[in-house]
Amino acid sequence: MALKLSPAVLILIATVLIVVLPGLVLPSPYYYRVGALVFISALAVIGLNLLMGYAGQVSLGHAGFFAIGAYGTAILPAQLGWPPLLAAATGVVLAAALAFAIGRPILRLRGQHLAVATLGIGMLITMVLNAEVAITGGPDGMAVARATVFGFKLRAPETWYWISGGLLILGVVAALNLLNSPTGRALRALHDSEVAAEVLGIDVTRYKLVVFVAASVYAAVAGAALALFSGHVTPDVGSFLRSVEFVTMAVIGGLGSILGSIVGAAVLVILPQVLTVFQEYETLVLGVMIILFMIFLRGGIVPGLAARLTARLTP
């Protein structure tokens, strides 16, 4: 049996990493910025992993909900004068509402048909963001008002490192609570066999909708955090390539692993920064490394390493 970490241990590992990293390897604001990007990406990937890794539902439109969170945070203050934090919360609610509205019909699909349907949703969202120039700024994007708490503007990379780290911890706790509830057991049953789950009396449609909405909330919160952190958003936040990036993070880290979501996000955010020493060969080297990960750690980095460690420790 592969080595498994308890929820408390997972939370402890994530918390310790976030707290200890600044004193070890974050000597300048640039590194805090990269750390914040890792945490924000990891938050979005945890939601996707709930959907794909635990419930077995394929999504290629996850970035669409990410974009709704980001643009809700940008548009409402610019057009209506709303406070940025209230706008961010509203963007998350809008993403959840859209997921609920479209989830029931599209989640009747399975496999590649579901993948294409979610891809279409993401593409439609991106098309709207590009076309509505008067509202979204079109392809050039738009500025995002800085959030203010008690007169203090949330602007510095160091500040957003701790905010995004805190959001990630909350996301991990919420995901682990969900997975250790009756809903989590139902999601695992769906992953193994929807037909068998129905035979056992599980409301398949209901639980698929629940996890789809939950995944959209994770993506929207991450998108809102990115918008407030960067101060500018473009339609690229909801592009197909961003969705593929999220899926790649989940697969590399390990589907069905919360810790794997964090590791996968860290790998794909940090590696491109490290590989800049290869200059024009940077993308080539990154692609080769991803291929090697998939060849030697087919289940993902975290499950693969856990299985190998278990094999070594087992007499």
Side-chain angles (χ1 to χ4, degrees):
M1 181 180 291
L3 182 66
K4 290 188 177 180
L5 300 176
S6 69
V9 173
L10 285 174
I11 295 170
L12 180 62
I13 290 174
T15 303
V16 169
L17 284 174
I18 291 170
V19 172
V20 171
L21 277 177
L24 295 178
V25 293
L26 302 180
S28 71
Y30 168 78
Y31 294 96
Y32 279 97
R33 178 178 178 81
V34 173
L37 291 175
V38 169
F39 299 154
I40 290 170
S41 297
L43 185 63
V45 176
I46 288 174
L48 184 60
N49 216 334
L50 290 175
L51 182 64
M52 293 182 62
Y54 289 96
Q57 308 302 308
V58 181
S59 175
L60 293 178
H62 197 59
F65 299 106
F66 188 78
I68 291 174
Y71 270 90
T73 305
I75 291 172
L76 292 174
Q79 299 291 332
L80 302 177
W82 286 27
L85 294 179
L86 178 59
T90 304
V92 173
V93 172
L94 289 174
L98 177 62
F100 182 83
I102 64 176
R104 189 171 291 272
I106 71 165
L107 290 172
R108 298 180 184 275
L109 304 172
R110 299 180 183 179
Q112 68 270 25
H113 301 98
L114 177 59
V116 172
T118 55
L119 171 61
I121 293 167
M123 292 179 67
L124 284 172
I125 292 171
T126 305
M127 289 173 62
V128 170
L129 295 177
N130 276 295
E132 297 298 327
V133 179
I135 299 175
T136 67
D140 294 331
M142 62 185 299
V144 182
R146 295 290 184 178
T148 303
V149 177
F150 302 117
F152 176 73
K153 279 195 174 185
L154 307 180
R155 180 190 298 270
E158 294 88 346
T159 302
W160 275 102
Y161 174 88
W162 295 111
I163 292 174
S164 57
L167 289 173
L168 177 59
I169 295 299
L170 291 175
V172 169
V173 172
L176 292 175
N177 284 335
L178 176 67
L179 293 172
N180 287 286
S181 69
T183 299
R185 291 188 285 274
L187 295 180
R188 291 184 177 92
L190 292 180
H191 184 279
D192 294 335
S193 171
E194 291 186 20
V195 175
E198 287 178 341
V199 170
L200 292 173
I202 295 174
D203 189 341
V204 171
T205 303
R206 174 174 172 266
Y207 283 109
K208 286 168 70 173
L209 184 60
V210 166
V211 73
F212 188 66
V213 172
S216 74
V217 169
Y218 272 88
V221 171
L226 179 66
L228 291 170
F229 169 49
S230 64
H232 191 269
V233 291
T234 68
D236 287 342
V237 298
S239 68
F240 169 62
L241 290 179
R242 181 60 65 96
S243 288
V244 170
E245 183 179 37
F246 287 148
V247 172
T248 306
M249 289 176 178
V251 173
I252 286 179
L255 288 175
S257 170
I258 298 299
L259 182 58
S261 301
I262 301 173
V263 171
V267 167
L268 278 196
V269 172
I270 295 173
L271 262 186
Q273 312 299 322
V274 175
L275 297 178
T276 53
V277 296
F278 292 100
Q279 298 178 4
E280 66 266 24
Y281 299 105
E282 171 191 341
T283 305
L284 174 63
V285 175
L286 179 61
V288 170
M289 293 185 70
I290 291 175
I291 293 171
L292 292 175
F293 278 133
M294 290 296 94
I295 291 175
F296 294 104
L297 296 169
R298 296 183 183 181
I301 294 173
V302 172
L305 293 178
R308 294 191 178 197
L309 181 58
T310 301
R312 286 182 174 272
L313 297 177
T314 302

